[in-house]
Amino acid sequence: MKKIFLYLLTSAFLLGSVACGTARTSNEAPDEAGDTGSELSAENAQENAEDATSDIRQDQIESDNRAIEQRNEVAGDPTELADNDVSSLVRNKLEEAFPTSQLVVESEDGAVTVDGKVATAEDVEKIEPLVKEVQGVKSVVVTATAE
């Protein structure tokens, strides 16, 4: 009975992750790569940073990462992540590294695209190496800009 319950729960999580689409670091981030999103003003950046660094958000990120890991151990090959899981893991890493950002992450077969806005040109340069650290990432295209 426990295995059936675990299977059903895992299926619900998997369905939920598949339905999510792209992953964004903030509400003001573009809906998908190629969209412009809103301006990365000082006010927006401050709000993003407060949200991204809050204890609640940090707990959510840890929980999300743990759920992805557990789901893949139970439901599939732990070395092969679904595209939405890769997008979520990358988004979480970027949100922690660039809390003022407005980034959108898309993944298809391990090819990750990161678009949106960060505070500085140095931040843009840091995106690719950070993304490559995430399990399941095979290649990275960064079209994000500094504002």
Side-chain angles (χ1 to χ4, degrees):
M1 186 68 175
K2 283 185 179 181
K3 286 187 179 185
I4 292 173
F5 176 73
L6 186 57
Y7 176 75
L8 292 173
L9 183 62
T10 303
S11 297
F13 279 126
L14 185 59
L15 179 61
S17 71
V18 169
C20 289
T22 58
R24 304 179 321 155
T25 60
S26 72
N27 287 336
E28 293 83 20
D31 288 329
E32 58 186 45
D35 287 352
T36 57
S38 65
E39 179 184 339
L40 184 59
S41 65
E43 183 180 328
N44 283 346
Q46 180 63 31
E47 288 175 13
N48 294 346
E50 288 173 5
D51 180 52
T53 58
S54 73
D55 290 340
I56 292 171
R57 182 62 186 134
Q58 292 303 308
D59 290 345
Q60 289 171 332
I61 288 171
E62 289 175 24
S63 177
D64 188 31
N65 291 346
R66 193 171 46 252
I68 289 168
E69 180 182 323
Q70 291 172 349
R71 181 174 56 247
N72 283 305
E73 286 177 4
V74 171
D77 182 353
T79 61
E80 288 294 321
L81 298 176
D83 288 334
N84 286 323
D85 287 344
V86 172
S87 294
S88 292
L89 291 171
V90 169
R91 184 237 10 251
N92 291 344
K93 188 167 201 77
L94 293 176
E95 186 175 354
E96 288 179 316
F98 310 109
T100 62
S101 68
Q102 294 178 357
L103 297 172
V104 60
V105 178
E106 294 179 349
S107 177
E108 186 172 336
D109 298 326
V112 174
T113 302
V114 180
D115 197 9
K117 299 170 187 145
V118 291
T120 67
E122 292 81 23
D123 289 347
V124 173
E125 297 299 319
K126 293 175 185 176
I127 292 173
E128 184 175 355
L130 278 173
V131 172
K132 286 183 176 179
E133 293 175 5
V134 175
Q135 178 187 351
V137 173
K138 297 176 182 166
S139 65
V140 181
V141 175
V142 178
T143 56
T145 58
E147 231 181 77

